[in-house]
Amino acid sequence: FTKRKLDDDVLEELEELLITSDLGVSTAARITTNIAKTRYDKEIEPDEIRQALADEVTAILAPVAQPFILMEDRKPHVVLVVGVNGSGKTTTIGKLAHQFRQTGKKVVLAAGDTFRAAAIEQLQIWGERTGCDVVTTKVGGDAAGLAYSAIEKAKADNADLLLIDTAGRLQNKSDLMAELEKVIRVIQKLDADAPHSCLLVLDATTGQNALNQTEIFGKVCEVTGLVMTKLDGTARGGVLVAIADKFGLPVHAIGVGEGVENLQPFEASDFARALSGTNNN
Amino acid sequence: MFENLTGRLGDVLGNLTKRGALSEADVSEAMREVRVALLEADVALPVVKGFIKRVKSRAIGTEVLKSVNPAQMVIKVVHDQLIEMLGSEQQELNLVAVPPVVYMMVGLQGSGKTTSTAKIAKWLTEKHDKKVMMASLDVQRPAAQEQLRVLGEQTQIATLPIVAGQMPVEIANRALQSAKLQGIDVILLDTAGRLHVDEQLMAEMEAVHKNSAPTETLLVVDSLTGQDAVNVAEQFKARVDVTGIVMTRIDGDGRGGAALSMREVTGCPIKLLGTGEKLDALEAFHPDRIANRILGM
Ligand SMILES: Nc1nc2c(ncn2[C@@H]2O[C@H](COP(=O)(O)OP(=O)(O)OP(=O)(O)O)[C@@H](O)[C@H]2O)c(=O)[nH]1
Ligand SMILES: Nc1nc2c(ncn2[C@@H]2O[C@H](COP(=O)(O)OP(=O)(O)OP(=O)(O)O)[C@@H](O)[C@H]2O)c(=O)[nH]1
Ligand SMILES: [K+]
Ligand SMILES: [Mg+2]
Ligand SMILES: [Mg+2]
């Protein structure tokens, strides 16, 4: 942008910037309209436009930026990790495990993806990396039964946190979604409040379908929070703004790489600045 | 959604008489609705703009037939243009080279490369009667090589034995040698997922490509991808000679706009569609199917 009047052309440019960040047409239009409300036809510096944009987005995201907090009184705090195929569930579990191991917590991992080739081995490697026990069953085994025994083991070990991995599934596959319901039902036989958290892992490269993912996973397994991965690329993950607006679910963390350390807390203003190009990256 | 677009176009074009040609003003109004429909389907913005331009010039002056209304006429022009841009004829995998024919799979993390490698291996074995071998060059992701080994077991297709500590180019060389010795027709090289901004991994991909001279370099793309499709397409295309696209997760309920973005930006044909997690869930590309999906039909 160059310094000029905030006219329809500038507003269109703004709207397009938001659209190319995956905010979706209606959210982009709404934010642009908000900006126009107080500033239309005024001379405005480019930085001011970006700042205004960042402010609008921050206002939507700030209420959902909530860290993931370990429930100390649960022993273990049982967390079910869900999402579509390849979104980054297993990797995020590894990173979370690392984070809590760093603070001296005992963490157990459950290899609930008994379907995909080498999914169990993948989680086992994360277990080795982070110094966590991994509860497994055989390939093709019952994920619900595995989750049940993992809780038993985590209880017996007096673990603080149990992270249960699940197979990737597309939200429109009702049979696979029913399987997830079964995992929850079976877990609840041991602990009526479990899982205490259910994290939905979203891939930042995903477009508008992330809205459907949030809606349906939300319904089926009472998602308590979101993690967005792969924000280390050029995808801005703007659909999260539409999701925050529509569902108000907490966003706990973002994935910014494949390494064990590459998980960061979700910061509304940083995210908004990246969207609006305020920090030039 | 198709009803939606038809409905919206009906609202916009409703008071046109049924006869006569579409005027520039009518078409411009209609194109606003088309733009929204395409963006909602995750077609990348620059691609949407190019698309609208072409549809516009095609639609202006088009005679509205007695049998249809103006909205339907515009839909038809949109649909035809979509098919044209997606590539109206089917393009098969290229097997014309001195064996072992090399295929290389590339793409972002988690897009479905390893699964698609096994699917294509099975496809070539069963449909083309080829002797196939798969090799994993993924030294990044935990258990990636093991994943391909297991898929090889499941499909009864040979995989290159895993040697710990080898780097991608070395593995590719070993794969080629081994394929020659064993009289393999096609060798599939699965590679690690990488972001297009990761210079080190992009350079590694380039090196493997240069070294192995693949006949097919297939860019594997998640059909749920949003606007970033343009960046991915441009960057991968700039580094290796991509010859075709594989769109995965077509079994999802995404609108699949990334297919159009990918096709436009790379100029490469979409060759195959991944339609599930199972290893037979692979289909030839049908532009009609994707066009309908993008339009929500
Ligand atoms: N660049 C980047 N890659 C990531 C990130 N998170 C995960 N990945 C990569 O994405 C790919 C898929 O990650 P997984 O953790 O296996 O995903 P998943 O959801 O468990 O996949 P399925 O179990 O197959 O459904 C791997 O190559 C990971 O290394 C991230 O934040 N940034
Ligand atoms: N539903 C569905 N799932 C798919 C399809 N193709 C792959 N998957 C799943 O997507 C996830 C990731 O697939 P992979 O083949 O491991 O992806 P990748 O690109 O090799 O991942 P990295 O090596 O980590 O970059 C797995 O859970 C696969 O089962 C498809 O067409 N449909
Ligand atoms: K993906
Ligand atoms: Mg996994
Ligand atoms: Mg892979």
PDB file of all heavy atoms in Angstrom, chain A residues 31 35 39 47-62 268-269 272-273 276 278:
ATOM      1  N   ILE A  31     -14.511  -7.780   8.154  1.00  0.00           N
ATOM      2  CA  ILE A  31     -13.398  -7.053   8.762  1.00  0.00           C
ATOM      3  C   ILE A  31     -13.111  -5.774   7.986  1.00  0.00           C
ATOM      4  O   ILE A  31     -12.895  -4.708   8.568  1.00  0.00           O
ATOM      5  CB  ILE A  31     -12.144  -7.952   8.823  1.00  0.00           C
ATOM      6  CG1 ILE A  31     -12.373  -9.051   9.866  1.00  0.00           C
ATOM      7  CG2 ILE A  31     -10.894  -7.147   9.151  1.00  0.00           C
ATOM      8  CD1 ILE A  31     -11.258 -10.060   9.963  1.00  0.00           C
ATOM      9  N   ILE A  35     -13.259  -1.774   9.248  1.00  0.00           N
ATOM     10  CA  ILE A  35     -12.175  -0.799   9.112  1.00  0.00           C
ATOM     11  C   ILE A  35     -12.678   0.461   8.426  1.00  0.00           C
ATOM     12  O   ILE A  35     -12.334   1.583   8.810  1.00  0.00           O
ATOM     13  CB  ILE A  35     -10.986  -1.424   8.353  1.00  0.00           C
ATOM     14  CG1 ILE A  35     -10.314  -2.459   9.246  1.00  0.00           C
ATOM     15  CG2 ILE A  35      -9.983  -0.360   7.899  1.00  0.00           C
ATOM     16  CD1 ILE A  35      -9.216  -3.229   8.593  1.00  0.00           C
ATOM     17  N   ARG A  39     -12.942   5.080   9.112  1.00  0.00           N
ATOM     18  CA  ARG A  39     -11.826   5.695   8.400  1.00  0.00           C
ATOM     19  C   ARG A  39     -12.107   5.987   6.939  1.00  0.00           C
ATOM     20  O   ARG A  39     -11.233   6.461   6.228  1.00  0.00           O
ATOM     21  CB  ARG A  39     -10.617   4.769   8.478  1.00  0.00           C
ATOM     22  CG  ARG A  39     -10.154   4.482   9.889  1.00  0.00           C
ATOM     23  CD  ARG A  39      -9.013   3.480   9.865  1.00  0.00           C
ATOM     24  NE  ARG A  39      -8.632   3.060  11.196  1.00  0.00           N
ATOM     25  CZ  ARG A  39      -9.242   2.096  11.866  1.00  0.00           C
ATOM     26  NH1 ARG A  39     -10.268   1.451  11.327  1.00  0.00           N
ATOM     27  NH2 ARG A  39      -8.843   1.756  13.077  1.00  0.00           N
ATOM     28  N   ASP A  47       1.069   1.925   6.943  1.00  0.00           N
ATOM     29  CA  ASP A  47       1.259   1.247   8.231  1.00  0.00           C
ATOM     30  C   ASP A  47      -0.001   1.291   9.079  1.00  0.00           C
ATOM     31  O   ASP A  47      -0.293   0.364   9.830  1.00  0.00           O
ATOM     32  CB  ASP A  47       2.393   1.922   9.015  1.00  0.00           C
ATOM     33  CG  ASP A  47       3.744   1.508   8.476  1.00  0.00           C
ATOM     34  OD1 ASP A  47       3.761   0.591   7.622  1.00  0.00           O
ATOM     35  OD2 ASP A  47       4.746   2.099   8.891  1.00  0.00           O
ATOM     36  N   GLU A  48      -0.700   2.388   8.939  1.00  0.00           N
ATOM     37  CA  GLU A  48      -1.923   2.575   9.707  1.00  0.00           C
ATOM     38  C   GLU A  48      -2.997   1.574   9.257  1.00  0.00           C
ATOM     39  O   GLU A  48      -3.738   1.037  10.074  1.00  0.00           O
ATOM     40  CB  GLU A  48      -2.412   3.992   9.434  1.00  0.00           C
ATOM     41  CG  GLU A  48      -2.952   4.751  10.618  1.00  0.00           C
ATOM     42  CD  GLU A  48      -3.373   6.142  10.176  1.00  0.00           C
ATOM     43  OE1 GLU A  48      -2.596   6.822   9.457  1.00  0.00           O
ATOM     44  OE2 GLU A  48      -4.510   6.526  10.507  1.00  0.00           O
ATOM     45  N   ILE A  49      -3.043   1.351   7.952  1.00  0.00           N
ATOM     46  CA  ILE A  49      -4.013   0.373   7.436  1.00  0.00           C
ATOM     47  C   ILE A  49      -3.701  -1.009   7.990  1.00  0.00           C
ATOM     48  O   ILE A  49      -4.568  -1.709   8.498  1.00  0.00           O
ATOM     49  CB  ILE A  49      -3.979   0.299   5.892  1.00  0.00           C
ATOM     50  CG1 ILE A  49      -4.172   1.682   5.282  1.00  0.00           C
ATOM     51  CG2 ILE A  49      -5.040  -0.677   5.398  1.00  0.00           C
ATOM     52  CD1 ILE A  49      -4.155   1.680   3.765  1.00  0.00           C
ATOM     53  N   ARG A  50      -2.427  -1.367   7.905  1.00  0.00           N
ATOM     54  CA  ARG A  50      -2.023  -2.693   8.396  1.00  0.00           C
ATOM     55  C   ARG A  50      -2.312  -2.823   9.881  1.00  0.00           C
ATOM     56  O   ARG A  50      -2.777  -3.863  10.345  1.00  0.00           O
ATOM     57  CB  ARG A  50      -0.534  -2.918   8.131  1.00  0.00           C
ATOM     58  CG  ARG A  50      -0.217  -3.145   6.681  1.00  0.00           C
ATOM     59  CD  ARG A  50       0.954  -4.101   6.514  1.00  0.00           C
ATOM     60  NE  ARG A  50       1.183  -4.348   5.094  1.00  0.00           N
ATOM     61  CZ  ARG A  50       1.892  -3.535   4.312  1.00  0.00           C
ATOM     62  NH1 ARG A  50       2.432  -2.439   4.818  1.00  0.00           N
ATOM     63  NH2 ARG A  50       2.068  -3.818   3.026  1.00  0.00           N
ATOM     64  N   GLN A  51      -2.013  -1.755  10.600  1.00  0.00           N
ATOM     65  CA  GLN A  51      -2.253  -1.782  12.044  1.00  0.00           C
ATOM     66  C   GLN A  51      -3.744  -1.950  12.335  1.00  0.00           C
ATOM     67  O   GLN A  51      -4.131  -2.732  13.196  1.00  0.00           O
ATOM     68  CB  GLN A  51      -1.730  -0.490  12.690  1.00  0.00           C
ATOM     69  CG  GLN A  51      -1.676  -0.560  14.207  1.00  0.00           C
ATOM     70  CD  GLN A  51      -0.860  -1.758  14.698  1.00  0.00           C
ATOM     71  OE1 GLN A  51       0.270  -1.969  14.290  1.00  0.00           O
ATOM     72  NE2 GLN A  51      -1.463  -2.578  15.567  1.00  0.00           N
ATOM     73  N   ALA A  52      -4.560  -1.229  11.589  1.00  0.00           N
ATOM     74  CA  ALA A  52      -6.007  -1.329  11.784  1.00  0.00           C
ATOM     75  C   ALA A  52      -6.489  -2.747  11.531  1.00  0.00           C
ATOM     76  O   ALA A  52      -7.310  -3.302  12.275  1.00  0.00           O
ATOM     77  CB  ALA A  52      -6.719  -0.351  10.854  1.00  0.00           C
ATOM     78  N   LEU A  53      -5.924  -3.328  10.488  1.00  0.00           N
ATOM     79  CA  LEU A  53      -6.277  -4.700  10.136  1.00  0.00           C
ATOM     80  C   LEU A  53      -5.866  -5.660  11.253  1.00  0.00           C
ATOM     81  O   LEU A  53      -6.641  -6.514  11.709  1.00  0.00           O
ATOM     82  CB  LEU A  53      -5.529  -5.038   8.842  1.00  0.00           C
ATOM     83  CG  LEU A  53      -6.049  -6.155   7.981  1.00  0.00           C
ATOM     84  CD1 LEU A  53      -7.490  -5.893   7.614  1.00  0.00           C
ATOM     85  CD2 LEU A  53      -5.197  -6.251   6.713  1.00  0.00           C
ATOM     86  N   ALA A  54      -4.625  -5.489  11.696  1.00  0.00           N
ATOM     87  CA  ALA A  54      -4.114  -6.342  12.769  1.00  0.00           C
ATOM     88  C   ALA A  54      -4.978  -6.190  14.022  1.00  0.00           C
ATOM     89  O   ALA A  54      -5.271  -7.173  14.704  1.00  0.00           O
ATOM     90  CB  ALA A  54      -2.657  -5.993  13.058  1.00  0.00           C
ATOM     91  N   ASP A  55      -5.413  -4.957  14.298  1.00  0.00           N
ATOM     92  CA  ASP A  55      -6.244  -4.724  15.483  1.00  0.00           C
ATOM     93  C   ASP A  55      -7.586  -5.447  15.388  1.00  0.00           C
ATOM     94  O   ASP A  55      -8.047  -6.045  16.364  1.00  0.00           O
ATOM     95  CB  ASP A  55      -6.498  -3.218  15.669  1.00  0.00           C
ATOM     96  CG  ASP A  55      -5.236  -2.481  16.104  1.00  0.00           C
ATOM     97  OD1 ASP A  55      -4.263  -3.164  16.493  1.00  0.00           O
ATOM     98  OD2 ASP A  55      -5.225  -1.228  16.047  1.00  0.00           O
ATOM     99  N   GLU A  56      -8.187  -5.361  14.210  1.00  0.00           N
ATOM    100  CA  GLU A  56      -9.475  -6.046  14.012  1.00  0.00           C
ATOM    101  C   GLU A  56      -9.322  -7.553  14.241  1.00  0.00           C
ATOM    102  O   GLU A  56     -10.137  -8.185  14.908  1.00  0.00           O
ATOM    103  CB  GLU A  56      -9.990  -5.825  12.581  1.00  0.00           C
ATOM    104  CG  GLU A  56     -10.516  -4.434  12.302  1.00  0.00           C
ATOM    105  CD  GLU A  56     -11.820  -4.125  13.037  1.00  0.00           C
ATOM    106  OE1 GLU A  56     -12.576  -5.078  13.341  1.00  0.00           O
ATOM    107  OE2 GLU A  56     -12.062  -2.942  13.319  1.00  0.00           O
ATOM    108  N   VAL A  57      -8.274  -8.112  13.641  1.00  0.00           N
ATOM    109  CA  VAL A  57      -8.069  -9.560  13.753  1.00  0.00           C
ATOM    110  C   VAL A  57      -7.728  -9.937  15.197  1.00  0.00           C
ATOM    111  O   VAL A  57      -8.243 -10.928  15.745  1.00  0.00           O
ATOM    112  CB  VAL A  57      -6.972 -10.045  12.772  1.00  0.00           C
ATOM    113  CG1 VAL A  57      -6.650 -11.516  12.990  1.00  0.00           C
ATOM    114  CG2 VAL A  57      -7.407  -9.813  11.330  1.00  0.00           C
ATOM    115  N   THR A  58      -6.899  -9.125  15.825  1.00  0.00           N
ATOM    116  CA  THR A  58      -6.538  -9.406  17.219  1.00  0.00           C
ATOM    117  C   THR A  58      -7.776  -9.416  18.111  1.00  0.00           C
ATOM    118  O   THR A  58      -7.906 -10.265  18.998  1.00  0.00           O
ATOM    119  CB  THR A  58      -5.535  -8.350  17.745  1.00  0.00           C
ATOM    120  OG1 THR A  58      -4.413  -8.325  16.872  1.00  0.00           O
ATOM    121  CG2 THR A  58      -5.059  -8.683  19.149  1.00  0.00           C
ATOM    122  N   ALA A  59      -8.685  -8.487  17.837  1.00  0.00           N
ATOM    123  CA  ALA A  59      -9.897  -8.417  18.660  1.00  0.00           C
ATOM    124  C   ALA A  59     -10.702  -9.722  18.575  1.00  0.00           C
ATOM    125  O   ALA A  59     -11.290 -10.158  19.559  1.00  0.00           O
ATOM    126  CB  ALA A  59     -10.756  -7.234  18.216  1.00  0.00           C
ATOM    127  N   ILE A  60     -10.690 -10.336  17.411  1.00  0.00           N
ATOM    128  CA  ILE A  60     -11.424 -11.599  17.259  1.00  0.00           C
ATOM    129  C   ILE A  60     -10.671 -12.743  17.928  1.00  0.00           C
ATOM    130  O   ILE A  60     -11.265 -13.633  18.541  1.00  0.00           O
ATOM    131  CB  ILE A  60     -11.642 -11.920  15.761  1.00  0.00           C
ATOM    132  CG1 ILE A  60     -12.514 -10.832  15.108  1.00  0.00           C
ATOM    133  CG2 ILE A  60     -12.294 -13.293  15.584  1.00  0.00           C
ATOM    134  CD1 ILE A  60     -12.656 -10.959  13.605  1.00  0.00           C
ATOM    135  N   LEU A  61      -9.333 -12.713  17.817  1.00  0.00           N
ATOM    136  CA  LEU A  61      -8.546 -13.856  18.292  1.00  0.00           C
ATOM    137  C   LEU A  61      -8.180 -13.810  19.774  1.00  0.00           C
ATOM    138  O   LEU A  61      -7.982 -14.855  20.396  1.00  0.00           O
ATOM    139  CB  LEU A  61      -7.260 -13.966  17.465  1.00  0.00           C
ATOM    140  CG  LEU A  61      -7.437 -14.351  15.995  1.00  0.00           C
ATOM    141  CD1 LEU A  61      -6.072 -14.364  15.303  1.00  0.00           C
ATOM    142  CD2 LEU A  61      -8.116 -15.716  15.852  1.00  0.00           C
ATOM    143  N   ALA A  62      -8.088 -12.601  20.321  1.00  0.00           N
ATOM    144  CA  ALA A  62      -7.617 -12.495  21.705  1.00  0.00           C
ATOM    145  C   ALA A  62      -8.420 -13.366  22.681  1.00  0.00           C
ATOM    146  O   ALA A  62      -7.833 -14.048  23.527  1.00  0.00           O
ATOM    147  CB  ALA A  62      -7.608 -11.033  22.145  1.00  0.00           C
ATOM    148  N   ALA A 268      -2.454 -14.009  19.914  1.00  0.00           N
ATOM    149  CA  ALA A 268      -3.395 -13.376  18.984  1.00  0.00           C
ATOM    150  C   ALA A 268      -2.740 -12.272  18.155  1.00  0.00           C
ATOM    151  O   ALA A 268      -2.904 -12.214  16.937  1.00  0.00           O
ATOM    152  CB  ALA A 268      -4.591 -12.821  19.750  1.00  0.00           C
ATOM    153  N   SER A 269      -1.972 -11.415  18.818  1.00  0.00           N
ATOM    154  CA  SER A 269      -1.449 -10.259  18.081  1.00  0.00           C
ATOM    155  C   SER A 269      -0.343 -10.664  17.098  1.00  0.00           C
ATOM    156  O   SER A 269      -0.246 -10.111  16.006  1.00  0.00           O
ATOM    157  CB  SER A 269      -0.974  -9.176  19.040  1.00  0.00           C
ATOM    158  OG  SER A 269       0.039  -9.695  19.854  1.00  0.00           O
ATOM    159  N   ALA A 272      -2.115 -12.129  14.154  1.00  0.00           N
ATOM    160  CA  ALA A 272      -2.786 -11.064  13.398  1.00  0.00           C
ATOM    161  C   ALA A 272      -1.773 -10.258  12.595  1.00  0.00           C
ATOM    162  O   ALA A 272      -2.034  -9.882  11.447  1.00  0.00           O
ATOM    163  CB  ALA A 272      -3.551 -10.156  14.351  1.00  0.00           C
ATOM    164  N   ARG A 273      -0.615 -10.009  13.184  1.00  0.00           N
ATOM    165  CA  ARG A 273       0.413  -9.246  12.470  1.00  0.00           C
ATOM    166  C   ARG A 273       0.933 -10.011  11.268  1.00  0.00           C
ATOM    167  O   ARG A 273       1.171  -9.437  10.212  1.00  0.00           O
ATOM    168  CB  ARG A 273       1.565  -8.897  13.413  1.00  0.00           C
ATOM    169  CG  ARG A 273       1.289  -7.644  14.237  1.00  0.00           C
ATOM    170  CD  ARG A 273       2.581  -6.923  14.598  1.00  0.00           C
ATOM    171  NE  ARG A 273       3.483  -7.782  15.345  1.00  0.00           N
ATOM    172  CZ  ARG A 273       3.406  -7.971  16.657  1.00  0.00           C
ATOM    173  NH1 ARG A 273       2.469  -7.352  17.358  1.00  0.00           N
ATOM    174  NH2 ARG A 273       4.253  -8.762  17.283  1.00  0.00           N
ATOM    175  N   SER A 276      -1.637  -9.649   8.499  1.00  0.00           N
ATOM    176  CA  SER A 276      -1.774  -8.338   7.877  1.00  0.00           C
ATOM    177  C   SER A 276      -0.456  -7.837   7.297  1.00  0.00           C
ATOM    178  O   SER A 276      -0.401  -6.774   6.712  1.00  0.00           O
ATOM    179  CB  SER A 276      -2.296  -7.332   8.902  1.00  0.00           C
ATOM    180  OG  SER A 276      -1.406  -7.269   9.992  1.00  0.00           O
ATOM    181  N   THR A 278       2.203  -6.978   8.935  1.00  0.00           N
ATOM    182  CA  THR A 278       2.799  -5.925   9.737  1.00  0.00           C
ATOM    183  C   THR A 278       4.249  -6.217  10.092  1.00  0.00           C
ATOM    184  O   THR A 278       5.064  -5.327  10.207  1.00  0.00           O
ATOM    185  CB  THR A 278       2.012  -5.722  11.052  1.00  0.00           C
ATOM    186  OG1 THR A 278       0.640  -5.823  10.741  1.00  0.00           O
ATOM    187  CG2 THR A 278       2.295  -4.366  11.669  1.00  0.00           C
TER     188      THR A 278
END
